[in-house]
Amino acid sequence: TLFRYERNAECILLSLYVDDGVVATNSESLYEDFLADFGKRYTISDQGDLHWYLGIRVSYNRDAGVTELSQRQYVVDLLKRFNMTDCKIASTPTKANTFLSADD
């Protein structure tokens, strides 16, 4: 679930899934207010920069202003699970907009 709150030019996003949550904001003061108010009702902790969330790896290049999301490990785990780690790599397994029939 994604929640969004705006206060003037400030914005905060809260993503929650079961017992995991991520907060993103453009305002340190709004973040501090959120932690104080939310912490009155729920047990929360600030664990610093986000590195993993719901199986997605998050990495940053702050100098370039880039945030990268990757599911590489999820794909590697799937390939291992189905004994496909030695499969031939293809950028796209089929042409876009291709429809397969039961005979294919």
Side-chain angles (χ1 to χ4, degrees):
T1 305
L2 180 66
F3 299 95
R4 179 184 175 132
Y5 174 77
E6 291 185 37
R7 179 175 72 187
N8 301 318
E10 300 171 321
C11 178
I12 192 165
L13 301 172
L14 170 62
S15 173
L16 293 174
Y17 182 78
V18 186
D19 63 347
D20 284 332
V22 174
V23 175
T25 184
N26 63 349
S27 165
E28 188 69 30
S29 65
L30 183 57
Y31 178 70
E32 296 299 328
D33 292 346
F34 167 79
L35 285 182
D37 291 341
F38 203 76
K40 290 176 185 174
R41 295 184 182 95
Y42 306 99
T43 302
I44 59 172
S45 62
D46 182 343
Q47 298 183 357
D49 285 348
L50 180 65
H51 298 286
W52 288 93
Y53 185 61
L54 303 178
I56 299 171
R57 185 176 151 267
V58 182
S59 59
Y60 310 93
N61 181 335
R62 286 190 170 78
D63 294 335
V66 174
T67 300
E68 180 182 42
L69 305 177
S70 172
Q71 289 186 292
R72 182 183 188 287
Q73 190 59 49
Y74 174 74
V75 172
V76 168
D77 291 345
L78 275 179
L79 291 171
K80 287 178 183 176
R81 179 178 171 190
F82 292 102
N83 298 316
M84 297 178 67
T85 54
D86 295 327
C87 289
K88 184 177 172 184
I89 295 174
S91 60
T92 303
T94 188
K95 294 179 184 175
N97 300 317
T98 299
F99 296 93
L100 301 176
S101 69
D103 298 328
D104 290 334

